[in-house]
Amino acid sequence: MGGRAASAAIGQAVLGIDGGLLPLDPILTEGVADTNGDMQYPLEIVFDYDAVSDDLLEQPPLPGMARWAPLLPPLADISLGEGGTPLLAGDHLAGLLGTDVELHLKDESRNPTWSHKDRLNFCAVSSALLARAPGVAVASSGNHGVSAAAYAARAGLPCIVVTSPKAPPTFLDMIRAYGAAVVITPADRRWDCLMRIVRETGFRPVSNLTRFHTSAAPGPEGYKTIAYELFHQLGRRVPGAVVVPTGYGELLFGIAKGFDELQRLGLTDRLPRMMPAEPEVGAPLAAAWHSGRPAVEVPVGPSSAASIASPVGGYRGIWAMRRSNGAPLTFKEETLLAMRGALAHVGLFQEMSGVAALAAIKDAVAAGMDFDGPVVAILTSGGFKDSAPFDGAHPLTGEAELARLLKEATDG
Amino acid sequence: MGGRAASAAIGQAVLGIDGGLLPLDPILTEGVADTNGDMQYPLEIVFDYDAVSDDLLEQPPLPGMARWAPLLPPLADISLGEGGTPLLAGDHLAGLLGTDVELHLKDESRNPTWSHKDRLNFCAVSSALLARAPGVAVASSGNHGVSAAAYAARAGLPCIVVTSPKAPPTFLDMIRAYGAAVVITPADRRWDCLMRIVRETGFRPVSNLTRFHTSAAPGPEGYKTIAYELFHQLGRRVPGAVVVPTGYGELLFGIAKGFDELQRLGLTDRLPRMMPAEPEVGAPLAAAWHSGRPAVEVPVGPSSAASIASPVGGYRGIWAMRRSNGAPLTFKEETLLAMRGALAHVGLFQEMSGVAALAAIKDAVAAGMDFDGPVVAILTSGGFKDSAPFDGAHPLTGEAELARLLKEATDG
């Protein structure tokens, strides 16, 4: 599954604080507290870009992220064939947004566990294995837990997933299928519970250990590969904007950093505007952005976008917007629901959170925002994962009602 | 999503009967009865291989099957980015089979509706749209119905899915999400019901209309692309065998025909042994093979491989085995169940039917069969689709039981 070239990683650095270069080992898992002590800055991996061959980014974006090894943290041989997802476009998408912007959809439901999280966990679990961690642990009610469980299984490591009583059963079934242990605890206990697991076992946490999201540096680097793939799939163009379903902001960060690297390597001349899509009923990144703070906590109302309705943002998302002249977007619940149906009716069935980017673009257009140039919306996960059954256009019918159905079909 | 070159298709022909070349239009949907009238021979698309450029097969196997357009029936612009699925291999698979054969897994759960059926329906629904059919209809309790509904949605065509009372709810939810109508009728009524729909509406059937599987020729041609991709992914080697979860034999046929074309085009010198994997409790292809008949009907006992437990085979599967020196394989129910768990425990969670090929290889090895050269097992569909929840290794636990869990984890 692609090349086995060495990583060009040379250390870790704190994002947003000029703290110099930290060694690559040990990987820091708790972030770095700011001077007030009430917020933790995340870390990133630093690379020696002079050691990266110019033609690394010229290869076709096939599955198997090891092909990008020089620009990723050190990898173990645990690929599940992640990445290489299609970019979809066409006139059939014109009706989705109510604007004639050139829209491209990156379908991340085509990953090994059917969400974007596989790009993160390939890197995060690799790092755990290379550091000889005895296992991995993760706090997640959804895709992250599923994906961590799969990569832990691939790596031969035990995995514990801390989840909440509200986690959809589909996720729990999948997590357990991969052999992971599931601990159910109230949402406000999850960080304490995860911290206890990590301290008592030495397991590597592959999600945030602390309230403000500061998952260890290796994982989010995996999302850079989406930028590398987009560069090819758009014919070496940089899109005007990339809109991203956002809970903690790691996906937004990773894609932004990937485009930043494309510019550093001389392949492009700018970044796309990076735009998180958050539920209007919460939206911690938008709140942090507008307040000028690195991260905040907000109350969150009921949202059907369960996988991204987070009370806390993280500085990674703010960094991505600052670096790219980005801006936060939010979406209304009713827009999300309608968009999920509209997208399924052109053949793409996504998890409710998976259509957040499209819903946010639609609401932004309705509010008068212009999008220049090609816009990429990231679709993050398959629609079969939501617990609520989808309300189809047609009721189930028996053969006795066939005559009516056929009359409708032929009249229609 | 790939090239827009013209199809090199020049007509239809009956598989197994020397009936000459039939025109490409109209597409025949009922097969051709044999002289006894109790069996229908399927059709295939005939191509002018002299019109196919040598370098068509030299491109990387990215998603978007339109890239193979010259070797497919005429296509409409309705791609969902199907194909381009990864081929997985590695030492971690060694424990699955109890033999040291070089094993490769083709993960077809990475398609747009998360099964191999998308390759068929891209071609079948294209054909319906190009023929100006007012809709599509399909008899299916599973992946075929989901995929047909998605491509019909993409094409802007109404879709009716005839299914049985036993169809798993996940499939019904997905079919309805794409906007299709679902008609539930007893299994023995399905062909009559589908025939009535087709006759009263003019909808194009994209599955078999008759008892012995004779779905129209365009669809199964789509499966040829798996052979084209394998050719690249194996470094231009022809595998020793390709083992395929098999209900009606269309997937087996398509892959065999793809390898047949690679040989015709001078790129290879032989076909892999094509081997269907059927439930031991049914296995109509095995029964037809051993009796020397083109297709038979058999009683089917209870099987957890719901998507492939078929009472009827089809001649396409027999053709594939004859053309390739193949042979039928069967699997025991207990092997299937164990294999599903073993595969998830190396990070790949498949539908019960999706691991049929691996289970059949394991049972064949246990019975003394040797497999020469690389063996490819096709994994057909994601594990989230089965209705029965997966029986995880660990029970769900609350935080109160965390101490015990951690003790287990640290004791190793």
Side-chain angles (χ1 to χ4, degrees):
Chain A
M1 301 302 303
R4 287 276 171 267
S7 171
I10 54 172
Q12 301 174 84
V14 183
L15 202 66
I17 297 180
D18 185 8
L21 188 66
L22 304 167
L24 207 52
D25 182 31
I27 290 292
L28 302 180
T29 58
E30 296 187 35
V32 173
D34 73 355
T35 48
N36 298 325
D38 63 354
M39 140 83 202
Q40 304 83 34
Y41 282 95
L43 290 109
E44 67 171 332
I45 303 291
V46 178
F47 295 85
D48 174 12
Y49 293 105
D50 292 336
V52 176
S53 164
D54 287 352
D55 56 4
L56 178 70
L57 276 298
E58 303 293 342
Q59 59 180 317
L62 292 159
M65 271 172 42
R67 69 185 61 257
W68 314 110
L71 289 172
L72 295 176
L75 299 173
D77 185 17
I78 60 167
S79 175
L80 292 170
E82 55 291 312
T85 61
L87 187 69
L88 304 168
D91 295 342
H92 65 296
L93 303 178
L96 293 176
L97 295 181
T99 178
D100 61 356
V101 67
E102 180 190 334
L103 177 66
H104 297 261
L105 305 178
K106 183 77 167 157
D107 185 1
E108 289 290 296
S109 77
R110 305 278 298 276
N111 273 298
T113 73
W114 312 289
S115 88
H116 64 296
K117 291 285 186 183
D118 294 327
R119 297 185 192 256
L120 179 148
N121 281 295
F122 174 46
C123 296
V125 178
S126 279
S127 177
L129 188 64
L130 294 173
R132 301 182 189 277
V136 300
V138 54
S140 166
S141 303
N143 288 311
H144 197 154
V146 171
S147 175
Y151 280 86
R154 175 67 180 83
L157 291 175
C159 176
I160 300 177
V161 181
V162 179
T163 191
S164 81
K166 288 186 190 166
T170 309
F171 289 117
L172 300 185
D173 286 346
M174 291 178 71
I175 290 167
R176 295 173 66 216
Y178 292 113
V182 175
V183 178
I184 297 178
T185 196
D188 63 358
R189 290 274 314 139
R190 61 186 158 182
W191 311 137
D192 288 342
C193 184
L194 184 63
M195 187 67 86
R196 178 175 162 201
I197 293 167
V198 168
R199 291 201 173 145
E200 293 192 23
T201 61
F203 280 20
R204 168 71 67 83
V206 295
S207 65
N208 47 330
L209 256 184
T210 51
R211 200 164 54 102
F212 290 106
H213 201 59
T214 55
S215 90
E221 301 289 328
Y223 292 136
K224 298 187 304 189
T225 55
I226 293 178
Y228 310 156
E229 294 178 14
L230 289 174
F231 173 67
H232 273 271
Q233 290 171 320
L234 291 167
R236 305 178 70 94
R237 288 184 299 168
V238 175
V242 178
V243 189
V244 180
T246 301
Y248 297 121
E250 300 194 326
L251 177 58
L252 193 80
F253 163 78
I255 300 172
K257 185 168 176 182
F259 277 108
D260 183 66
E261 291 178 335
L262 285 162
Q263 186 178 8
R264 280 173 185 259
L265 292 168
L267 295 162
T268 59
D269 59 3
R270 62 188 176 82
L271 270 67
R273 298 191 74 191
M274 296 302 304
M275 305 185 119
E278 297 179 295
E280 191 181 60
V281 296
L285 266 181
W289 179 256
H290 294 303
S291 71
R293 294 168 63 194
V296 301
E297 181 162 5
V298 297
V300 181
S303 174
S304 54
S307 293
I308 58 169
S310 167
V312 291
Y315 181 70
R316 286 191 176 103
I318 297 295
W319 179 90
M321 287 188 279
R322 288 185 184 162
R323 176 68 190 86
S324 69
N325 189 32
L329 302 180
T330 60
F331 57 85
K332 298 179 197 304
E333 291 297 310
E334 60 266 31
T335 310
L336 190 74
L337 192 64
M339 186 58 77
R340 187 184 194 226
L343 190 63
H345 286 192
V346 292
L348 296 169
F349 182 39
Q350 288 279 314
E351 191 185 332
M352 205 67 83
S353 299
V355 300
L358 281 173
I361 297 170
K362 179 151 194 161
D363 281 350
V365 168
M369 183 179 285
D370 281 329
F371 287 87
D372 290 330
V375 173
V376 174
I378 310 291
L379 308 178
T380 46
S381 178
F384 51 84
K385 289 179 180 171
D386 282 308
S387 54
F390 193 92
D391 184 22
H394 301 280
L396 292 174
T397 52
E399 199 176 348
E401 297 146 283
L402 189 57
R404 178 185 55 72
L405 191 70
L406 296 184
K407 185 165 188 318
E408 285 173 15
T410 48
D411 289 351
Chain B
M1 303 301 304
R4 286 277 173 267
S7 171
I10 53 171
Q12 301 173 83
V14 182
L15 203 65
I17 296 181
D18 185 9
L21 189 66
L22 304 167
L24 207 51
D25 183 32
I27 289 291
L28 302 180
T29 57
E30 297 188 32
V32 173
D34 74 354
T35 47
N36 298 325
D38 63 354
M39 140 83 201
Q40 304 83 35
Y41 282 95
L43 290 108
E44 67 170 332
I45 304 291
V46 178
F47 295 84
D48 174 13
Y49 294 105
D50 293 336
V52 177
S53 163
D54 285 353
D55 57 4
L56 178 70
L57 276 298
E58 302 294 340
Q59 58 181 319
L62 292 160
M65 269 172 44
R67 69 184 62 257
W68 313 110
L71 288 173
L72 295 175
L75 299 174
D77 185 16
I78 60 167
S79 176
L80 293 169
E82 55 292 313
T85 60
L87 187 69
L88 305 168
D91 294 342
H92 64 297
L93 303 178
L96 293 176
L97 295 181
T99 178
D100 60 356
V101 67
E102 180 190 335
L103 177 66
H104 297 261
L105 304 179
K106 183 76 167 157
D107 184 2
E108 288 290 296
S109 78
R110 305 279 298 276
N111 274 298
T113 74
W114 311 290
S115 87
H116 65 294
K117 291 285 186 182
D118 294 327
R119 298 185 191 257
L120 180 149
N121 280 295
F122 174 47
C123 296
V125 178
S126 280
S127 177
L129 188 65
L130 295 174
R132 300 179 188 282
V136 300
V138 53
S140 165
S141 304
N143 288 311
H144 197 154
V146 170
S147 175
Y151 280 86
R154 175 66 181 83
L157 291 175
C159 177
I160 300 176
V161 181
V162 178
T163 191
S164 80
K166 288 187 192 165
T170 309
F171 289 117
L172 298 185
D173 286 347
M174 292 179 71
I175 291 167
R176 295 174 66 214
Y178 292 112
V182 175
V183 178
I184 297 178
T185 196
D188 63 357
R189 290 275 313 142
R190 61 186 159 183
W191 311 137
D192 287 343
C193 184
L194 183 63
M195 187 68 86
R196 178 176 162 199
I197 292 167
V198 168
R199 291 201 172 143
E200 292 192 23
T201 61
F203 281 19
R204 168 72 67 85
V206 294
S207 65
N208 47 331
L209 258 184
T210 50
R211 198 163 56 100
F212 289 106
H213 201 58
T214 54
S215 90
E221 301 289 328
Y223 291 135
K224 297 187 306 190
T225 55
I226 293 178
Y228 309 157
E229 293 178 13
L230 289 174
F231 172 65
H232 274 272
Q233 291 171 321
L234 290 168
R236 306 178 70 96
R237 287 185 299 168
V238 175
V242 178
V243 189
V244 180
T246 300
Y248 297 123
E250 299 193 327
L251 177 57
L252 193 80
F253 163 78
I255 300 172
K257 186 170 175 180
F259 277 108
D260 183 65
E261 291 177 337
L262 286 162
Q263 186 178 12
R264 279 172 184 260
L265 292 166
L267 294 162
T268 59
D269 60 3
R270 63 188 175 83
L271 270 68
R273 298 190 75 190
M274 296 302 304
M275 303 183 126
E278 298 179 293
E280 191 179 61
V281 296
L285 266 181
W289 179 257
H290 293 303
S291 70
R293 294 168 63 193
V296 300
E297 182 162 2
V298 296
V300 181
S303 174
S304 54
S307 292
I308 58 168
S310 166
V312 291
Y315 181 69
R316 286 190 176 102
I318 298 295
W319 179 90
M321 287 189 278
R322 286 186 186 162
R323 175 68 188 86
S324 69
N325 190 31
L329 301 181
T330 60
F331 58 84
K332 298 180 198 303
E333 291 298 311
E334 60 266 31
T335 309
L336 190 73
L337 191 64
M339 185 59 75
R340 188 184 192 225
L343 190 63
H345 286 192
V346 292
L348 296 168
F349 182 38
Q350 288 279 313
E351 192 186 331
M352 206 66 85
S353 298
V355 299
L358 282 174
I361 296 169
K362 179 149 193 162
D363 280 350
V365 168
M369 184 181 283
D370 281 328
F371 288 87
D372 290 330
V375 172
V376 174
I378 310 291
L379 309 178
T380 46
S381 178
F384 52 84
K385 289 178 180 172
D386 282 308
S387 56
F390 193 92
D391 183 23
H394 301 280
L396 293 175
T397 52
E399 199 176 348
E401 298 146 281
L402 189 57
R404 179 186 53 73
L405 192 68
L406 297 184
K407 185 165 188 315
E408 285 174 13
T410 47
D411 288 351

